[in-house]
Amino acid sequence: MRTLLVAGAIFVFLCVADIHGDVTTTKPKSQNIDYISLLEKGIANLMSNVSTQGIPNLSDLTSLFPKMDVQNFLKILQRLNVSIPTQSQSYAALNFLNSSLSRLKPIGESIQSSFQASQNYQKMLSPACNAAMGTLGSQLLSQKQWALQMIDSWGKPRAGLLEGNIKWRGMYDECMDTVAEVDGKIAFETNSCGANIPTPLMGPTGKVEIIIGMCLPSACVNGDPYLIADSFLSFIPTTPKLTTNFAWCQTEPDYDLRTTITICVCGAFLALITLATLFEILVVHPYQKNISKIPVLSDITASKPTPEDVKDVKVDIPMKPGVIQTMDHKPAVATKYKGLCSKLLLSFSAWSNGRKLLNAEQAGGSMGAINGIRFFSMSWVILGHTYIFLLLQQAMVNAYPFAKRMLERRTFMVITNGLLSVDTFFTLSGLLLAYVFMKEMKREKGRINWFMFYFHRFWRLTPPYMLVMMLDIVLFRYLGDGPMWTPDGLETDYCKESWWTNLLYVNNFVKTDKTCFGWAWYLANDMQFYWISPVILVPLYFSKKIGSVIAFLFLLGTTIASGIVSKHYELPSTQYSIVPNPHSGAYFNKYYIKPYCRMGPYIVGIMAGYILYRTKGKYKIKPPVNVFIWIVITVVACLVTYGPYEETMGNWMSVDVAALYNATHKSLWGVCVSWVIFACVTGNGGFINTFLSWSPFIPLGRLSYCAYLVHPIIMFVYMRSLRQAVYATDFVMIYLFLGHLVTAYLVAFVVSLAFESPMMGLEKAIFRRGEKKKQ
């Protein structure tokens, strides 16, 4: 905007000057010239001709100004109500003006060149856009409020460019609310656009690229925003010239076939949930209430009945030897709605599922501490993503200094190395699998239904996973708007080429360059570990020695594989550092998401679950030994967490030391988590077990899976809906984290009610899971 105002002032100045002849630096002779009239005529000339005829020839500025003597100069000052200087001061002022004008020649040539380039860009605009921009220009010169509002909403240079404040998005809502009205009619609709401009400036991560928001007529589409941005950049006198490498305009998302199908699927689930809930509340619940009041027979085994036993006995009821049948008022079992159809429908009841999800009663003999570990690990994941997603989306005003300040804090390693939270879940998964598998094998005397072993896992994870992914792919684009919003949604090309890799749980191997639902790499690893787990579990059940040897070989294999991968790609021990590592680009795809590099904590968890099974959750450790083990585990956990601190400061480890860390730290973390669970279950956890087993963590633990599925979607909706970037401080980040955490669990509750709980209910109804165990 400043550039436009300066250019306009020069245009007025030049048009006025074009009326008369040469300017000399000699002492001027007296001429009777009315300069005020000339100024007014020049402005009128600019207003009427500049848009069609352009700027006059600027090849020789010194020939465009009339001669002026002291008398005329004083006359101008008098007309402008300026105090009259002395004659010597007037001569000095005139000489300074003339010498300054002689230096305007190169500036004039530059302006002339810029104006010519701008007109060339203008000729390339589409006819509709050219006409709309012409209307905008004429109304801007007439100072119409709506035209000024459009220009005012443009992004403008802001302070902190070298600190990461490089997204000058302007005022989105001011632009979209503008009504371009000319003579009582709407001339055009407005639209928010943007341009990406590479600069020669260097930032901490390389050359700075600026994004400038533009408010343009909606008729300007395709290449028009690119040309308009370049036409304005041509007026900025830089070497080399600034140009746009890409530009865009916001578009309204279409309601296509995939949207229709998704809405129909969601509608079907909503209808089933509504019908099932009403059926339970209005039909089943009243029936159960009534049937519980009907007296039923109960058997009392007695060799010699007492008077109290037989006081309600009816003489017409056949008596069993040694058994007295009495009438009492214990709740009866309702059998009317126990059929398969009723169970299938009631699987969708929000009333029953909601009560199950929010039930905070601790089942007897269960591992209560696991619920607390689940919740805090999920909170850890969300905390880390709060920081990294905000940085990756470039939604921080002070990105560079804030990131540097955080990485310099040793305590911030809890977030920098927050990737360990995923290894906690791998450990929990292996531990619970081994514990349940061993109990099931014992109950079935060494046999197991392998179909149900794999089907249950697939059915437990896949339906909510696929349904949430469907919502993410199709409906994300309708959830917000703004200058940072992507009208095509969060996923590239709607995952047309890679969605099936998620369904088959191979997305960490296949099409990793076209990932869909990117955070689902964890599910692929977990499922792959589950597929091969019987190779360890079955020998472990029949032979402790053979199973332990196989588990050790697996652990040794994943340790060696991790070290070799890290050594081959010269990977650092952490992805995040003040000084970027040239090899960190391979960290995620080559190491982080590969199962042969991530299975360590899962195997450790399997062994911990087996130990809990063999000890039956009872193993008393002497207090001094217990305290010593807790101290050792705490030290190991701190070394694993804070070990890469020097690398975050740019003091790189050797390739071999980094490879050793990458090969071992995940398994060591699994050992620490396994000890916490073992100590809590066996009564050696003290106040830690009391805290982690707190009853509110039980429903929160149940919701962790759905919270994992939905929390990135929630965070991306927030960040891409921002109108302006966030100035990050400790308080702001804590505030955002708590907001993301609470919102994620609230949405997870709804998703679990709609997708997860009904699928689990259907499985129980069809395969009668749970009933067989009671028999």
Side-chain angles (χ1 to χ4, degrees):
M1 188 63 183
R2 293 174 183 171
T3 304
L4 294 175
L5 293 175
V6 171
I10 294 175
F11 295 166
V12 173
F13 188 58
L14 294 176
C15 290
V16 173
D18 192 39
I19 300 174
H20 290 281
D22 296 339
V23 174
T24 62
T25 57
T26 59
K27 183 177 179 179
K29 295 180 181 180
S30 177
Q31 294 186 40
N32 189 14
I33 302 174
D34 188 348
Y35 285 93
I36 301 299
S37 298
L38 293 177
L39 181 61
E40 294 173 351
K41 290 179 181 178
I43 294 175
N45 183 48
L46 171 67
M47 298 291 290
S48 61
N49 296 326
V50 73
S51 62
T52 58
Q53 298 179 3
I55 300 179
N57 191 347
L58 306 179
S59 60
D60 191 359
L61 286 176
T62 58
S63 66
L64 300 179
F65 293 90
K67 297 178 181 179
M68 186 187 305
D69 57 13
V70 174
Q71 287 78 6
N72 286 321
F73 181 59
L74 295 176
K75 188 185 294 183
I76 291 176
L77 296 180
Q78 186 177 8
R79 291 284 298 274
L80 295 174
N81 294 323
V82 179
S83 57
I84 306 299
T86 63
Q87 189 173 19
S88 60
Q89 291 174 328
S90 300
Y91 276 119
L94 284 173
N95 287 330
F96 175 76
L97 176 63
N98 288 328
S99 62
S100 299
L101 290 174
S102 66
R103 292 181 173 87
L104 286 176
K105 181 176 180 179
I107 299 176
E109 291 175 345
S110 176
I111 294 173
Q112 180 69 27
S113 174
S114 298
F115 187 83
Q116 185 62 43
S118 177
Q119 285 202 325
N120 291 336
Y121 285 123
Q122 181 183 355
K123 293 176 182 177
M124 298 169 64
L125 294 175
S126 63
C129 179
N130 198 4
M133 290 297 292
T135 301
L136 172 61
S138 64
Q139 297 299 299
L140 182 62
L141 290 174
S142 300
Q143 298 188 18
K144 294 294 184 181
Q145 182 66 25
W146 67 263
L148 294 172
Q149 187 173 334
M150 281 187 68
I151 299 301
D152 180 57
S153 68
W154 280 47
K156 302 172 182 66
R158 302 174 64 183
L161 174 64
L162 298 180
E163 293 194 348
N165 190 10
I166 56 177
K167 308 298 179 183
W168 308 335
R169 302 186 185 277
M171 297 296 291
Y172 174 84
D173 294 297
E174 182 183 23
C175 172
M176 301 303 291
D177 293 341
T178 299
V179 179
E181 186 175 342
V182 179
D183 297 330
K185 297 181 179 179
I186 303 299
F188 52 78
E189 300 290 337
T190 57
N191 194 13
S192 175
C193 303
N196 192 82
I197 306 166
T199 72
L201 300 174
M202 294 298 296
T205 58
K207 287 190 176 181
V208 174
E209 292 192 353
I210 299 171
I211 286 182
I212 294 183
M214 303 183 294
C215 186
L216 300 178
S218 58
C220 297
V221 293
N222 300 326
D224 292 333
Y226 178 96
L227 296 170
I228 292 170
D230 274 355
S231 68
F232 283 101
L233 290 175
S234 64
F235 283 101
I236 301 178
T238 59
T239 304
K241 279 288 185 181
L242 295 177
T243 57
T244 305
N245 59 356
F246 65 90
W248 67 93
C249 283
Q250 295 290 340
T251 57
E252 291 291 332
D254 296 327
Y255 288 89
D256 50 18
L257 179 61
R258 63 174 68 91
T259 304
T260 304
I261 294 174
T262 302
I263 293 175
C264 289
V265 170
C266 293
F269 272 91
L270 180 60
L272 282 171
I273 292 169
T274 303
L275 179 61
T277 305
L278 292 176
F279 176 67
E280 181 176 20
I281 294 175
L282 300 179
V283 179
V284 177
H285 186 65
Y287 173 76
Q288 291 175 337
K289 201 172 183 181
N290 292 332
I291 201 69
S292 66
K293 298 178 181 179
I294 301 175
V296 295
L297 293 175
S298 64
D299 295 342
I300 300 176
T301 302
S303 57
K304 294 182 179 180
T306 63
E308 286 75 13
D309 293 330
V310 298
K311 66 181 180 179
D312 291 328
V313 176
K314 294 183 179 180
V315 294
D316 57 342
I317 298 178
M319 305 295 288
K320 297 179 182 179
V323 175
I324 302 298
Q325 293 182 318
T326 65
M327 300 296 294
D328 61 18
H329 293 279
K330 294 181 181 179
V333 178
T335 59
K336 185 175 180 180
Y337 298 106
K338 291 292 184 178
L340 180 60
C341 292
S342 297
K343 288 181 179 180
L344 292 177
L345 180 59
L346 290 173
S347 298
F348 289 87
S349 173
W351 177 261
S352 294
N353 292 333
R355 285 186 300 174
K356 291 176 184 177
L357 286 173
L358 299 178
N359 181 20
E361 294 182 3
Q362 184 70 58
S366 61
M367 307 177 188
I370 287 181
N371 295 307
I373 295 174
R374 272 198 188 120
F375 171 71
F376 284 111
S377 296
M378 193 66 246
S379 301
W380 195 2
V381 171
I382 294 175
L383 177 62
H385 284 169
T386 298
Y387 282 86
I388 190 60
F389 286 176
L390 204 62
L391 283 168
L392 291 178
Q393 294 296 305
Q394 297 181 329
M396 281 187 187
V397 171
N398 57 330
Y400 301 149
F402 180 76
K404 182 176 183 295
R405 190 165 62 251
M406 292 299 102
L407 291 174
E408 287 174 348
R409 293 183 185 175
R410 191 177 292 274
T411 53
F412 194 72
M413 284 302 300
V414 174
I415 297 173
T416 305
N417 213 5
L419 308 177
L420 293 169
S421 58
V422 181
D423 296 301
T424 302
F425 283 109
F426 284 140
T427 305
L428 292 177
S429 184
L431 186 147
L432 291 172
L433 170 62
Y435 186 76
V436 173
F437 181 88
M438 295 300 165
K439 292 184 69 175
E440 184 72 12
M441 288 283 283
K442 182 179 180 181
R443 189 175 68 86
E444 297 294 335
K445 299 179 180 179
R447 295 173 299 176
I448 197 166
N449 185 335
W450 290 110
F451 170 78
M452 289 304 303
F453 176 82
Y454 286 108
F455 177 81
H456 173 67
R457 186 66 175 178
F458 183 84
W459 190 256
R460 166 72 177 85
L461 298 181
T462 308
Y465 171 27
M466 289 294 106
L467 288 166
V468 171
M469 191 173 78
M470 176 185 67
L471 298 179
D472 167 57
I473 294 172
V474 180
L475 299 185
F476 180 89
R477 49 187 165 154
Y478 305 107
L479 299 180
D481 59 13
M484 299 176 66
W485 194 257
T486 48
D488 292 333
L490 188 61
E491 307 297 344
T492 303
D493 198 24
Y494 305 107
C495 297
K496 290 180 180 178
E497 297 185 25
S498 57
W499 66 270
W500 60 271
T501 64
N502 296 73
L503 178 62
L504 298 180
Y505 293 95
V506 294
N507 47 296
N508 58 337
F509 279 113
V510 183
K511 295 188 179 294
T512 56
D513 58 331
K514 298 179 181 179
T515 57
C516 179
F517 210 71
W519 55 101
W521 68 267
Y522 162 79
L523 291 179
N525 278 267
D526 189 73
M527 183 62 78
Q528 290 159 12
F529 298 158
Y530 190 87
W531 288 343
I532 64 174
S533 62
V535 178
I536 302 174
L537 294 171
V538 173
L540 198 58
Y541 175 78
F542 289 104
S543 173
K544 180 176 66 174
K545 292 182 179 180
I546 296 176
S548 299
V549 169
I550 294 175
F552 173 76
L553 291 176
F554 266 89
L555 185 60
L556 181 63
T558 188
T559 302
I560 294 174
S562 300
I564 292 175
V565 170
S566 180
K567 170 80 172 179
H568 177 74
Y569 293 102
E570 300 182 19
L571 300 179
S573 63
T574 177
Q575 279 187 290
Y576 311 111
S577 173
I578 293 175
V579 180
N581 187 297
H583 303 288
S584 60
Y587 188 94
F588 185 80
N589 282 334
K590 302 299 183 182
Y591 167 77
Y592 187 70
I593 65 174
K594 299 303 183 186
Y596 45 78
C597 296
R598 301 307 302 263
M599 198 176 181
Y602 194 87
I603 298 170
V604 171
I606 287 177
M607 295 306 300
Y610 176 72
I611 293 171
L612 282 174
Y613 162 75
R614 291 295 299 265
T615 59
K616 299 181 180 179
K618 298 176 182 179
Y619 193 86
K620 195 62 180 175
I621 303 175
K622 294 181 179 180
V625 178
N626 187 32
V627 171
F628 175 75
I629 296 175
W630 273 106
I631 292 174
V632 171
I633 290 297
T634 303
V635 171
V636 172
C638 290
L639 289 174
V640 168
T641 304
Y642 297 97
Y645 173 72
E646 288 300 321
E647 285 218 327
T648 64
M649 298 298 294
N651 303 320
W652 302 108
M653 303 177 183
S654 67
V655 174
D656 293 333
V657 173
L660 177 63
Y661 178 84
N662 289 332
T664 58
H665 78 282
K666 298 183 184 301
S667 299
L668 290 175
W669 182 260
V671 171
C672 297
V673 174
S674 297
W675 163 254
V676 173
I677 299 172
F678 177 82
C680 290
V681 172
T682 57
N684 298 289
F687 71 92
I688 296 177
N689 178 50
T690 303
F691 175 65
L692 293 177
S693 300
W694 189 37
S695 58
F697 290 145
I698 297 173
L700 292 174
R702 290 193 192 105
L703 294 172
S704 293
Y705 176 55
C706 286
Y708 154 76
L709 291 177
V710 302
H711 82 273
I713 301 174
I714 293 168
M715 296 171 74
F716 281 122
V717 168
Y718 163 75
M719 286 180 287
R720 295 195 178 188
S721 296
L722 288 173
R723 269 43 177 174
Q724 301 292 337
V726 174
Y727 191 93
T729 63
D730 287 334
F731 176 79
V732 168
M733 299 308 295
I734 293 171
Y735 194 82
L736 289 178
F737 158 64
L738 293 176
H740 293 329
L741 179 66
V742 173
T743 307
Y745 270 89
L746 290 175
V747 175
F749 177 72
V750 176
V751 171
S752 184
L753 275 182
F755 300 146
E756 184 182 30
S757 296
M759 298 301 107
M760 295 173 67
L762 289 176
E763 182 193 9
K764 289 180 180 179
I766 295 172
F767 295 99
R768 302 180 65 188
R769 288 180 62 86
E771 295 182 10
K772 296 178 181 179
K773 293 181 181 180
K774 295 177 183 179
Q775 295 174 355

